[in-house]
Amino acid sequence: MIIERYLIREVATPLAAVLGILTTLFAGYSTAGLLSDAVNGLLPTGAIAELVGLKLLIALEVLIPISLYVSVVMAFGKLYGDSEFTAMYALNVSPGMVLRAVFMLSAGLAGVVLLLSLHARPWAYEKSHEITRRAQLSMNVDAMESGTFYLNKHGGRVIFFPRREGIRGPAKDVFIQIQHPDTTDIILAQSARALPPRQDGGSNVRLDNAHVYFLGKSDTTQDRMMDVGSITLDPANHNIAPEEYSATGVPTARLARSSNPADIAEFQWRLSTPLSTLLLGMLGMPLSRVQPRQGGRYAKFGTAILVYSGYYMLCTSARTWVQHGTVSAIPGIWWAPALLGLFLIAALYWPQWNVAFHVRTLLRRLAGDLRVPPEQTARHDPA
């Protein structure tokens, strides 16, 4: 138990550091993308932190396995390089005991990933979809810049103005197009100014000296036009297209009963992430083997990264094939973890197989050397 706790602690230390670094990088990348939408007025500023947190919660099911995998390779590479494993094996510490310590840590983290995949992942996706949809119904008018076309997700609202007096000043020569089921509204205004924000987070706009055109989309609808000296308008388009179906936000229990290929792919992905965590954690042990004082502590680090990259590409490709119906539910995406399991077995037992092969070869050579040649036997025959 002392050895197992020592090995777990040696892995847990870099695990915390690697997971913290990856989490920070991912949060920074997500924030940069969301800030651009906030600056352009397409996303409320207060929703940035919430969306970043939701994206990070979703990404943990991928960040935890790769952090565990890298940490095992780093920690065990250091132990191999410092001859600590040589000393352990000399003290009757078997490789099975070392593998059991890795299995305990990997199984614990696999349980965490399972909870994240089955419960936190669909909740976070549903919440992020709700925030995104709410952002389509409101916009930060003061953040808009001149010379830029502002479109919502489905193109139902277009806003453009070529110039503006100051950062929050009135916009000049404003063009607004709003799509409705039966008509297209086009508004041309000499100036526009944002009014104080409403309680729901939106903001009305007062348009001065405006020309409003109501253009029908069918032959039965009559076109109309009117001139107004001043009009108050909500620039948000409330007649947006219905939200598209996404399996990522569906509860796991409903996915398990579905026969839709997209639902099957999402359901199998949620179950495969904890299995991948367990296999990757154990795979880090054989991939970290280095000879003492040969090649450095992290000699196998590049190989380990290539192995993970290949496995992740296989998993994402398998998920896409199932999602589009190219591959059926059986084998689904399970062939990718199965290949990783076979690779793990080969990596764990290859040294023993290699040693046994060399031993058998050496014994055959010794047997050949000890065999007496036939001509030598005939020379000493008394007959």
Side-chain angles (χ1 to χ4, degrees):
M1 294 299 297
I2 296 177
I3 294 297
E4 291 177 355
R5 288 197 299 268
Y6 172 72
L7 293 175
I8 292 176
R9 185 171 65 250
E10 286 295 311
V11 176
T13 301
L15 172 63
V18 173
L19 184 59
I21 293 173
L22 293 180
T23 300
T24 303
L25 292 176
F26 183 85
Y29 175 78
S30 301
T31 303
L34 295 174
L35 279 176
S36 62
D37 291 339
V39 169
N40 293 330
L42 303 178
L43 183 68
T45 306
I48 295 179
E50 189 174 1
L51 281 176
V52 170
L54 293 173
K55 288 179 176 292
L56 188 58
L57 186 61
I58 297 171
L60 283 177
E61 66 175 12
V62 176
L63 297 182
I64 291 178
I66 180 59
S67 300
L68 173 64
Y69 175 68
V70 170
S71 301
V72 173
V73 174
M74 293 174 59
F76 280 22
K78 174 180 176 295
L79 295 177
Y80 274 112
D82 293 343
S83 302
E84 291 194 42
F85 274 130
T86 303
M88 291 182 189
Y89 296 151
L91 296 174
N92 294 328
V93 176
S94 64
M97 297 175 60
V98 178
L99 185 61
R100 184 172 61 184
V102 179
F103 176 82
M104 292 170 57
L105 179 60
S106 302
L109 291 177
V112 175
V113 173
L114 179 63
L115 293 177
L116 291 174
S117 298
L118 297 183
H119 302 288
R121 173 185 171 89
W123 175 83
Y125 265 114
E126 183 181 4
K127 195 71 175 178
S128 61
H129 292 164
E130 179 184 347
I131 295 175
T132 304
R133 184 174 178 84
R134 190 167 63 243
Q136 298 181 44
L137 300 177
S138 63
M139 60 191 313
N140 186 2
V141 181
D142 285 336
M144 291 184 174
E145 298 179 354
S146 60
T148 302
F149 283 90
Y150 294 92
L151 290 79
N152 69 338
K153 181 179 180 181
H154 299 280
R157 178 194 62 223
V158 181
I159 299 177
F160 175 81
F161 50 90
R163 55 195 178 94
R164 187 172 192 171
E165 296 181 0
I167 299 178
R168 299 180 180 272
K172 300 297 183 179
D173 301 329
V174 180
F175 169 85
I176 300 177
Q177 176 181 295
I178 301 177
Q179 297 286 350
H180 296 283
D182 300 327
T183 61
T184 299
D185 300 346
I186 297 179
I187 303 175
L188 302 175
Q190 182 178 358
S191 64
R193 179 186 296 273
L195 299 178
R198 304 189 305 267
Q199 294 182 353
D200 59 0
S203 177
N204 292 331
V205 176
R206 189 184 69 185
L207 304 174
D208 297 326
N209 298 326
H211 304 279
V212 184
Y213 302 88
F214 304 95
L215 306 179
K217 295 183 179 180
S218 62
D219 297 336
T220 59
T221 304
Q222 185 178 4
D223 300 337
R224 295 178 294 127
M225 188 270 291
M226 67 177 182
D227 297 331
V228 293
S230 178
I231 184 175
T232 301
L233 177 70
D234 181 3
N237 177 29
H238 295 276
N239 296 311
I240 60 177
E243 186 178 1
E244 298 178 358
Y245 175 79
S246 176
T248 54
V250 178
T252 305
R254 190 188 306 174
L255 292 180
R257 299 188 298 268
S258 175
S259 58
N260 184 17
D263 293 343
I264 294 174
E266 175 66 18
F267 178 68
Q268 293 185 357
W269 174 268
R270 295 181 188 180
L271 294 180
S272 67
T273 49
L275 179 60
S276 298
T277 304
L278 181 62
L279 294 176
L280 287 172
M282 298 176 65
L283 182 61
M285 175 185 170
L287 289 185
S288 62
R289 291 195 188 107
V290 293
Q291 296 297 327
R293 302 180 182 87
Q294 292 183 6
R297 299 177 176 179
Y298 309 123
K300 300 294 184 66
F301 191 76
T303 304
I305 294 299
L306 290 177
V307 170
Y308 176 80
S309 301
Y311 175 68
Y312 186 76
M313 291 179 60
L314 286 178
C315 287
T316 53
S317 299
R319 178 186 176 185
T320 303
W321 294 338
V322 175
Q323 185 176 2
H324 291 86
T326 306
V327 178
S328 61
I330 301 296
I333 69 174
W334 300 114
W335 59 270
L339 287 179
L340 183 64
L342 294 176
F343 183 77
L344 171 61
I345 294 174
L348 285 173
Y349 293 100
W350 173 251
Q352 289 85 335
W353 295 339
N354 197 21
V355 170
F357 173 78
H358 286 295
V359 169
R360 287 195 299 267
T361 303
L362 180 60
L363 290 176
R364 284 196 297 266
R365 289 179 180 176
L366 290 176
D369 294 339
L370 293 177
R371 188 179 301 117
V372 180
E375 58 275 10
Q376 184 175 355
T377 304
R379 186 185 311 161
H380 294 283
D381 191 354

